[in-house]
Amino acid sequence: MRRRPQACAACAAAALAAAGAASLALRLEAAAEARPAAPFEATVEATVARVERRPERLVVDLARATGVAEAATRVPSRIRVRLPLDPSAPHPPLAAALPGDRLRLRVRLRALDTRANPGRPDAGEDFARRGFGAVAGVVHPDLVVRMPAREGVRPLRGVHAVRARAGARLQRDGQGGALL
């Protein structure tokens, strides 16, 4: 290998590609196992991984999710929560969540509908590739509770809070305001 550095680089690239393929296969398998067969409600404890505010809805990605009261029901470890935003409704508690927050919430879980037009990419496959096992809707906004005692040290909390306040302030200027 010392005489041929190209062979060493090729072996390293092959090992890296094999590790990536194995990681993807494990993620797809875990998402397929955790995908609910039928919609059901569960109380979930999870960490907020990402919050995306759109004009018409709020999308929150939850990581390290576990079922709280329902021991017989298996809850996927990654869940995407979609919540419609109504400007006339009070500010939902989930909209104030920041990445790293630990939440307990009551959700209705379901598998992502993978039916699509022929020739279009399969949304369910893309969803599983990113590690999500289900999509969910909040049963009621009052059933979302932030759990500060279990959050631990979060050095980026201040950065996330400033970014969320600035995005909310800019979004008041119009649809493209949050992009700024």
Side-chain angles (χ1 to χ4, degrees), residues 94-115:
L94 199 56
L98 295 172
D101 284 350
R102 191 80 179 148
L103 300 175
R104 179 178 284 186
L105 58 159
R106 184 77 180 176
V107 292
R108 178 176 303 268
L109 295 158
R110 67 175 176 79
L112 182 69
D113 188 11
T114 59
R115 293 175 287 170

Side-chain angles (χ1 to χ4, degrees), residues 41-52:
E41 283 188 15
T43 301
V44 173
E45 222 175 83
T47 302
V48 175
R50 185 178 73 97
V51 178
E52 182 182 340

Side-chain angles (χ1 to χ4, degrees), residues 53 97-101 154-168:
R53 290 166 182 83
L98 295 172
D101 284 350
R154 295 180 37 223
L156 296 177
R157 182 169 182 19
V159 173
H160 291 304
V162 167
R163 189 176 71 192
R165 281 195 306 269

